[in-house]
Amino acid sequence: MEAIERERVRPLRRREFEQLAEQGAFDNERVELVYGTLVTMPPPGPPHSGIIQKLNKLLVFGVGDRAELRCQLPWVAGDYSMPQPDFAIVPRGSYMREHPSEALLVIEVSDSSLAYDRGVKRQLYAEFGVPECWIVNVPERRIEVFTSPTDGAYRDSRSYGPGDCITLGAFSDLTIAVDDVLRE
């Protein structure tokens, strides 16, 4: 692949990706479209799954009917990307005809995918104006929070550890304790 010149590679468009998915092209694969490239997603291990379960409970009750909580579902980022963040809190809506293209918060639970989530995916979320991005850093048992997207990057970041609490930017009344997410 390295021998192919980048300018000769034709990226896959989101609509083409959706058509291929509808035709069953990816039925036995976990893939997402990022910058026109199909990216495989590793199978979730027990730590990842356990954190998803905990966050789901906390966010469902905390967000309530004020927004939609999407878990491991597609989110539209322009014509060439449709990532599947572990969580996306999106504006209220049906989304029966189109996937959402706006998010108030995205969360990635990162174990084996930490470098990818901190790099490519965080950049993608910033480029498309997601105001808040969390990376649950499983190996270091921390939650990294990125805010203030400007010019394709997050200006502000903060890392939270045991004993800390995080208040969601979109919901100032919703605070999540790091221990409630990462405690075994």
Side-chain angles (χ1 to χ4, degrees):
M1 184 72 172
E2 291 178 21
I4 300 172
E5 299 165 12
R6 282 188 76 69
E7 60 271 1
R8 295 190 59 198
V9 174
R10 185 226 188 252
L12 188 64
R13 291 178 180 86
R14 182 177 46 86
R15 296 285 182 209
E16 295 165 332
F17 174 72
E18 290 174 315
Q19 289 172 347
L20 287 167
E22 286 172 14
Q23 295 169 3
F26 312 115
D27 281 353
N28 297 317
E29 297 179 79
R30 292 187 66 214
V31 295
E32 62 184 350
L33 183 68
V34 176
Y35 295 117
T37 302
L38 290 178
V39 179
T40 59
M41 299 165 42
H48 185 275
S49 299
I51 291 169
I52 294 290
Q53 182 177 334
K54 290 176 184 183
L55 274 170
N56 190 58
K57 187 181 293 185
L58 294 167
L59 292 170
V60 163
F61 289 116
V63 172
D65 290 334
R66 300 181 287 177
E68 305 294 339
L69 178 65
R70 294 173 58 91
C71 183
Q72 299 177 329
L73 295 172
W75 178 76
V76 172
D79 291 333
Y80 293 96
S81 295
M82 195 162 68
Q84 295 179 38
D86 288 311
F87 288 98
I89 297 176
V90 301
R92 291 182 65 180
S94 166
Y95 305 112
M96 294 292 286
R97 293 178 188 230
E98 294 284 330
H99 295 296
S101 59
E102 182 181 346
L104 307 170
L105 166 69
V106 293
I107 301 173
E108 294 289 353
V109 177
S110 303
D111 197 353
S112 61
S113 62
L114 186 57
Y116 173 65
D117 291 337
R118 271 185 179 157
V120 172
K121 291 202 66 184
R122 181 179 69 187
Q123 177 184 336
L124 179 68
Y125 298 141
E127 284 178 11
F128 284 88
V130 177
E132 188 170 359
C133 171
W134 292 12
I135 296 177
V136 180
N137 180 335
V138 177
E140 296 178 22
R141 308 205 53 74
R142 302 193 66 74
I143 298 177
E144 302 165 5
V145 176
F146 302 90
T147 57
S148 306
T150 306
D151 297 326
Y154 286 105
R155 273 193 332 222
D156 301 319
S157 66
R158 183 160 176 207
S159 182
Y160 296 85
D164 292 336
C165 292
I166 307 167
T167 301
L168 279 69
F171 303 102
S172 59
D173 62 325
L174 178 52
T175 299
I176 294 180
V178 172
D179 292 333
D180 289 344
V181 176
L182 292 170
R183 184 176 337 156
E184 293 185 24

